[in-house]
Amino acid sequence: MKDTSQKRWLMSMLLIGLMIVVTACAGNDNTTSNGSNGDDGTSPSNNGQTDSDGDVTIRVAWWGGQERHDMTLEAIDLFEEEYPHITVEPEYTGWDGYWERLSTQAAGNNLPDVINMDNSRLMEYSSRDLIVDLQPFVDEGLINLDDVDEVYQDLNVTEDGFVMAISIGANALGIIENREVLNEYGIELEPGYTYDDLIHALEDIQSATDDEFFGFDLANSEFEMFFVYARQNGQSVFNETGDGLGFEEDVLVDFFDLIQTMVNNHVAPPHDVMMDYIDGGDSMVGEGSAAASMAASNQIIGQQQSSEMDLGLNLMPHLEGGEYGNWIRPSMSFSISAHSEQQEAAAAFIDFFTNNIEANEILQADRGVPVSSVVRDHLSDIVDGATAETFEFLELVEGYTSPADPLSPPGESEVRGSFQRVVEALKYDQVTPEEAAQQFIQEAGAILQ
Amino acid sequence: MERKKALKESLTGYAIISPWLIGFFFLILGPIVASFYLSFTDYDLLSSPNWIGFDNYINILTNDPRFRQSLTVTLIFVFVSTPLKLIFALALAMLFNTGRKGTGFFTTIYYIPSIIGGSVAIAVVWRIIFGRNGAINDILTTLGLEGMNWIGNPDTALTVLILLVVWQFGSPMIIFLAGLRQIPTELYEAASVDGANKLQTFFKITIPMLTPVIFFNLIMQTIGGFMIFTQAYLITQGGPMDSTLFYALYLYETAFEYLRMGYASAMAWILLLIIAAITLLLFKSSSRWVFYESEGGR
């Protein structure tokens, strides 16, 4: 009797020991597999079945709304027709939850072959060796960038020539304006208009209308807005080395003062109203209760689809005596993950999205203006409405840009979270601009160390 | 011979429960041990962990205002929502205990919110009801009062979530119902012979006889309350101004949005200690107010 209980004890101890060993090993997997994908410029290698005749499957992940999912799935069908030996397994979600899912996949060495990348996360993934250098694929002609102007790819290439990603489309920050509302009150925001001009225009509408009017929808994009504002002051949000902030405190105080004043003077919506619209998937500018809203240029395509009114793109306000703060950037990009065993097929997929005309006709430039000039020229003749607006806007912006900042450092998402919390308190009038600026600078500094 | 047989029997037993055993070791005990180890590292999910000793714990306890905020919010939530939920559950259980026709049907109806409460659909419905143009504000407007966005307001967002959770009183209600049916009817008969009124029988018979069930529900709901995540994640994401930043929500954010897995692991162990301490306090107090039938009349 005693014997068996001892045996049981021993057995369970052994099992626990075994388990600890197993989990410990699993935890160390990352270290051994990292760096095996030579980022030393070796030619692309497939550790899977490299047989070009063999059937392969690649997983492709992206984020977006339902319209984008439908268009992308249609383009993928076309790709599979063109490359019968490649099967694509799509993995798509909304923006919320996309990065959480990717990071768990990264931890499990199970990233999709092709990853839809955002500028703000590139450094995070590249600094941890999770994505491969795409230069060898470009050199071999697997990804054809002959028709792609450097301005579209600049941000995706590190100083030592490591190509982290291929841009899927280009966009720039701007404002979406409701032209019907502006026309009704005889307002025209000519390029070069200032923050003050915008506020005065909104105040005029506010005093002339009896309807509910919110003015300028900040659209939860205060952080992006500050990116431009800092650059207009000749500074930047992050410093060159990415280990601290790149602006002086008074610049942020001025910006916070601007935001708070707009909300308190009823030319920007209260924070809770703004969030209510976002959560409900509604748009103030689309329904005419706001004259304009902060946006990335390609967002007009989705917004126009759900609005009866005539929307247009415009430049961001200019800072009196300031510099040009805007820049043209990859709206999003495709990377190939270091876990991919089918890197050539993944490269073929990226090439297809970059250069295939028919695919881009399906995709409607919804991820930004296509980076290939051939595709762009072809599309600009046939698109109309909001998509055409994005094409024209990018041509207009070009005259108002300054060189782009380096990509945001890892930790950007946490800094952004801190900024948004501070802005919330500011809009609820719980803190002064000075207090808010101090709090953010302190929190961000601690995160970036 | 005997021993061989016994061994064979126990091996058969182990074989039968092996699916559960494997699940327990690899999906429960394994992660528990791993998270304990990781809480002493700077693990970021993507690169290998480095040992940093008690740094995470020290940072959480001394240098993290959001940890304090999330703990405060969670404690307020637990201490307000749990009693309310139990009171509702008991009141409804009393109502359904009359043995009238159709009570089964209504019990089911009232239990539904608990089943679907954590779903996206309910979250959306609550967002709409309490939104700027929602039903609550419509009612207020007809009464001539000023409406507001309840979820977007830092002073009211927590209340909305407390209401949502209190509304999910189904499970404690079912348990109370079972408890009420256990109470011997002779007690009530004796009381009515002695001329006790409704209130007296409730406080002198029902409540004392129910104390073991109340105790059970209290423990379960308190522990559950500390782990609230889904509703807040779907409705407020912790906002506005961190007014609904529940502990589990902050933990999730730290781990999966900011990739500070080591830090989040340490937070999880601190939460375990807090829950253990509070549960222990409840158990310690139980000797004063929980009566078991076996104790005889004390």
Side-chain angles (χ1 to χ4, degrees):
Chain A
M1 207 52 225
K2 200 171 163 199
D3 226 314
T4 47
S5 72
Q6 254 180 354
K7 242 188 211 143
R8 273 181 206 165
W9 169 243
L10 206 72
M11 238 170 79
S12 39
M13 278 298 106
L14 274 173
L15 269 169
I16 290 174
L18 182 77
M19 191 197 63
I20 290 170
V21 171
V22 167
T23 47
C25 293
N28 289 337
D29 248 17
N30 299 354
T31 38
T32 49
S33 69
N34 269 357
S36 62
N37 284 297
D39 39 342
D40 46 2
T42 47
S43 68
S45 63
N46 284 348
N47 0 7
Q49 50 277 52
T50 44
D51 217 358
S52 53
D53 309 320
D55 289 348
V56 297
T57 300
I58 55 169
R59 291 156 54 218
V60 178
W62 73 86
W63 72 81
Q66 193 55 49
E67 292 93 2
R68 180 176 299 165
H69 298 330
D70 293 341
M71 293 189 277
T72 310
L73 290 170
E74 202 182 325
I76 284 175
D77 287 342
L78 195 69
F79 172 78
E80 288 177 327
E81 271 171 43
E82 197 106 346
Y83 295 84
H85 67 287
I86 303 178
T87 309
V88 177
E89 283 181 6
E91 296 183 7
Y92 48 93
T93 59
W95 172 262
D96 280 346
Y98 178 80
W99 297 102
E100 284 94 325
R101 197 173 73 158
L102 271 191
S103 42
T104 42
Q105 287 176 326
N109 287 335
N110 187 30
L111 280 171
D113 301 84
V114 180
I115 308 169
N116 196 168
M117 264 290 160
D118 185 73
N119 305 332
S120 62
R121 310 280 173 148
L122 261 177
M123 290 312 287
E124 209 155 86
Y125 276 71
S126 118
S127 67
R128 293 187 168 109
D129 296 331
L130 291 165
I131 48 183
V132 300
D133 184 6
L134 301 180
Q135 189 58 46
F137 299 99
V138 176
D139 294 341
E140 290 200 10
L142 288 170
I143 299 177
N144 173 5
L145 296 183
D146 293 349
D147 306 322
V148 178
D149 196 358
E150 257 187 28
V151 66
Y152 298 112
Q153 262 299 97
D154 266 355
L155 274 177
N156 286 333
V157 184
T158 63
E159 273 170 23
D160 39 18
F162 184 101
V163 178
M164 296 181 281
I166 305 291
S167 171
I168 313 179
N171 72 1
L173 293 169
I175 65 171
I176 296 178
E177 54 184 27
N178 185 315
R179 296 212 162 132
E180 291 179 35
V181 172
L182 293 180
N183 287 343
E184 189 182 340
Y185 296 93
I187 291 162
E188 193 155 343
L189 299 169
E190 293 278 357
Y193 76 98
T194 63
Y195 288 96
D196 285 343
D197 295 339
L198 175 68
I199 290 172
H200 291 319
L202 296 168
E203 281 169 347
D204 290 348
I205 302 177
Q206 185 64 274
S207 55
T209 182
D210 300 330
D211 298 332
E212 195 168 40
F213 180 73
F214 297 116
F216 183 74
D217 180 7
L218 296 162
N220 215 18
S221 305
E222 293 89 351
F223 194 51
E224 278 73 18
M225 202 167 159
F226 180 61
F227 257 89
V228 174
Y229 192 86
R231 289 164 51 86
Q232 288 172 330
N233 281 282
Q235 303 176 13
S236 61
V237 173
F238 298 103
N239 65 13
E240 285 283 328
T241 43
D243 55 0
L245 297 168
F247 58 88
E248 284 152 21
E249 192 169 326
D250 59 337
V251 172
L252 183 58
V253 172
D254 288 348
F255 177 75
F256 279 165
D257 191 45
L258 174 80
I259 297 283
Q260 198 172 39
T261 309
M262 282 175 83
V263 174
N264 289 347
N265 294 355
H266 306 294
V267 291
H271 187 79
D272 58 333
V273 173
M274 180 190 89
M275 289 314 289
D276 201 36
Y277 271 83
I278 291 174
D279 290 340
D282 301 316
S283 152
M284 290 180 204
V285 79
E287 68 172 30
S289 58
S293 109
M294 184 67 215
S297 55
N298 57 316
Q299 285 179 298
I300 193 177
I301 296 170
Q303 295 231 356
Q304 184 66 75
Q305 277 176 359
S306 54
S307 171
E308 304 283 299
M309 300 173 90
D310 179 26
L311 307 180
L313 284 166
N314 201 338
L315 298 169
M316 302 245 329
H318 185 66
L319 182 72
E320 198 87 48
E323 304 172 16
Y324 291 144
N326 218 326
W327 73 106
I328 291 177
R329 52 184 201 173
S331 55
M332 54 186 84
S333 307
F334 275 142
S335 293
I336 297 181
S337 82
H339 305 157
S340 170
E341 297 187 342
Q342 307 297 346
Q343 296 184 7
E344 287 189 19
F349 181 86
I350 295 176
D351 178 68
F352 183 83
F353 264 58
T354 309
N355 295 308
N356 185 289
I357 295 216
E358 213 181 325
N360 278 286
E361 279 181 13
I362 295 170
L363 294 165
Q364 286 292 319
D366 154 79
R367 286 184 171 86
V369 174
V371 292
S372 150
S373 57
V374 175
V375 174
R376 203 164 51 237
D377 293 342
H378 173 81
L379 276 192
S380 62
D381 296 337
I382 56 168
V383 293
D384 50 10
T387 309
E389 190 82 36
T390 61
F391 282 63
E392 286 158 27
F393 177 70
L394 275 206
E395 280 168 23
L396 171 71
V397 165
E398 229 162 317
Y400 296 87
T401 51
S402 54
D405 295 337
L407 283 175
S408 300
E412 195 262 13
S413 54
E414 211 169 340
V415 172
R416 174 185 298 263
S418 162
F419 193 90
Q420 284 174 332
R421 280 195 307 279
V422 169
V423 163
E424 261 186 7
L426 190 81
K427 285 159 87 181
Y428 281 117
D429 230 354
Q430 312 259 349
V431 291
T432 64
E434 288 78 12
E435 290 166 343
Q438 268 168 4
Q439 190 190 331
F440 170 70
I441 287 167
Q442 186 217 322
E443 282 181 18
I447 294 162
L448 291 170
Q449 266 166 18
Chain B
M1 206 60 219
E2 269 303 297
R3 200 176 284 175
K4 243 192 175 155
K5 201 173 160 194
L7 183 69
K8 204 175 159 186
E9 264 184 17
S10 54
L11 275 179
T12 313
Y14 280 123
I16 289 170
I17 58 168
S18 63
W20 181 86
L21 273 182
I22 292 167
F24 173 76
F25 280 119
F26 284 92
L27 301 176
I28 298 173
L29 199 58
I32 288 175
V33 174
S35 101
F36 189 68
Y37 161 69
L38 289 175
S39 72
F40 296 100
T41 67
D42 63 354
Y43 187 46
D44 65 356
L45 208 62
L46 303 178
S47 33
S48 45
N50 300 308
W51 185 266
I52 54 168
F54 279 94
D55 282 11
N56 285 330
Y57 291 92
I58 293 165
N59 271 335
I60 291 169
L61 295 171
T62 61
N63 194 14
D64 187 352
R66 293 191 80 205
F67 161 78
R68 290 194 287 277
Q69 169 71 9
S70 69
L71 196 56
T72 313
V73 168
T74 310
L75 287 172
I76 292 172
F77 171 80
V78 168
F79 287 118
V80 174
S81 72
T82 309
L84 277 178
K85 197 173 182 175
L86 293 187
I87 288 167
F88 265 100
L90 181 55
L92 267 294
M94 297 281 293
L95 206 61
F96 291 137
N97 197 31
T98 52
R100 290 212 189 105
K101 260 203 181 131
T103 46
F105 169 73
F106 281 105
T107 313
T108 312
I109 293 281
Y110 278 89
Y111 189 61
I112 285 174
S114 312
I115 300 171
I116 56 173
S119 68
V120 178
I122 288 295
V124 172
V125 167
W126 278 69
R127 264 217 305 247
I128 293 170
I129 291 177
F130 284 93
R132 230 169 39 92
N133 303 318
I136 302 281
N137 284 348
D138 289 350
I139 294 166
L140 287 176
T141 316
T142 46
L143 297 173
L145 295 164
E146 183 75 35
M148 60 193 285
N149 180 356
W150 302 88
I151 289 165
N153 184 321
D155 302 328
T156 55
L158 184 57
T159 315
V160 171
L161 285 176
I162 288 176
L163 283 175
L164 170 59
V165 171
V166 169
W167 177 60
Q168 292 158 12
F169 53 73
S171 353
M173 176 184 78
I174 299 284
I175 296 167
F176 275 137
L177 206 49
L180 286 170
R181 290 186 178 151
Q182 291 286 316
I183 301 175
T185 45
E186 300 91 70
L187 293 177
Y188 289 111
E189 285 161 10
S192 69
V193 167
D194 291 340
N197 64 24
K198 277 246 160 71
L199 217 56
Q200 283 171 317
T201 51
F202 178 72
F203 282 110
K204 298 278 187 221
I205 296 171
T206 310
I207 292 283
M209 292 302 288
L210 265 188
T211 44
V213 181
I214 295 176
F215 180 56
F216 173 82
N217 272 335
L218 186 64
I219 296 275
M220 297 308 285
Q221 295 303 323
T222 305
I223 293 175
F226 271 103
M227 307 220 244
I228 178 180
F229 171 78
T230 314
Q231 292 91 336
Y233 179 68
L234 289 170
I235 298 179
T236 62
Q237 282 96 46
M241 285 172 59
D242 281 353
S243 63
T244 58
L245 184 76
F246 295 118
Y247 200 100
L249 205 57
Y250 182 39
L251 195 150
Y252 173 86
E253 198 177 273
T254 309
F256 292 101
E257 274 179 51
Y258 304 152
L259 306 183
R260 301 210 317 242
M261 204 40 88
Y263 195 87
S265 298
M267 279 184 66
W269 282 87
I270 290 174
L271 178 64
L272 177 74
L273 289 179
I274 292 169
I275 293 179
I278 288 183
T279 313
L280 195 69
L281 279 177
L282 287 174
F283 265 99
K284 281 263 188 262
S285 77
S286 71
S287 60
R288 294 166 181 273
W289 61 275
V290 177
F291 307 109
Y292 294 100
E293 275 192 84
S294 55
E295 292 171 18
R298 267 206 302 188

